[in-house]
Amino acid sequence: MVSGPSGVGKSSVVDGLSRAVPFHFSVSMTTRPPRESEVDGVDYWFVTRQEFERRIAAGELLEWAEYNQDLYGTPRAPVIEQLAAGHHVVLDIENEGARQVRRSYPEAVLVFVLPPSLAVLEQRLRNRGDTADADARLAVAREQIAAAPDLFDYVVVNDDLDAAISRVADILASPAARPQSVTEETP
């Protein structure tokens, strides 16, 4: 599982990781509208709030959280199927989702991607067009960064993308990160 503040480069790390280590990427579900370049079922599963809440009630999500007034979560069934097949599964989730995964799946390996500094993070957010809510995202980032040492198994600074990808690949290749099954009964 890979987490970190919005704009830290999680997607870039995961994309680079896909060229280094075989794994299944778990496509998250969200209630936020897609960005111009995003494709449903590839970047996220885009659903209504009502559909998302139905899936929560039905226990169909491994984890979920609300971020910036939108819901995000991980569909449970694809993760279970991939782990049962012996594949690594990488999730891109926020801290609250990481807490839920830790509670229901303590064997999960949790990696937090850290920016080199908050100033660099702010610039990344503005460069990708998140100028309207950059201050709100930075406030959330401060909270996430403060919680990271107690919640995550590894912290990887993304000050050099290739080095960050290599470090996460090494973590995924370690014996502690061997895929283990999650059962349907897991809350």
Side-chain angles (χ1 to χ4, degrees), residues 59-117:
E60 295 177 12
L61 299 177
L62 182 63
E63 60 78 29
W64 68 275
E66 187 162 5
Y67 179 78
N68 206 21
Q69 300 179 333
D70 291 304
L71 298 171
Y72 294 82
T74 302
R76 181 185 303 276
V79 172
I80 292 168
E81 290 166 11
Q82 291 297 320
L83 289 173
H87 301 139
H88 285 292
V89 179
V90 173
L91 288 73
D92 175 353
I93 60 180
E94 298 295 330
N95 284 27
E96 180 52 35
R99 283 183 191 91
Q100 293 174 40
V101 168
R102 176 63 78 208
R103 279 193 301 270
S104 63
Y105 187 50
E107 303 83 15
V109 176
L110 308 181
V111 178
F112 189 83
V113 180
L114 189 67
S117 69

Side-chain angles (χ1 to χ4, degrees), residues 131-142:
T131 55
D133 62 352
D135 290 337
R137 289 180 183 265
L138 286 169
V140 170
R142 284 183 189 91

Side-chain angles (χ1 to χ4, degrees), residues 3 14 29 53 68 77 104 122 131 146 172:
S3 189
V14 170
M29 184 175 295
E53 289 172 348
N68 206 21
S104 63
E122 180 177 10
T131 55
L172 197 58

Side-chain angles (χ1 to χ4, degrees), residues 5-11 32-38 44 67-68 70 72 94 120-139:
S6 180
V8 77
K10 293 182 303 285
S11 296
R32 79 160 170 76
R35 294 183 180 125
E36 190 174 306
S37 64
E38 291 177 324
Y44 285 95
Y67 179 78
N68 206 21
D70 291 304
Y72 294 82
E94 298 295 330
V120 169
L121 182 62
E122 180 177 10
Q123 189 58 50
R124 289 178 184 173
L125 287 169
R126 296 191 189 287
N127 287 348
R128 78 175 198 185
D130 287 343
T131 55
D133 62 352
D135 290 337
R137 289 180 183 265
L138 286 169

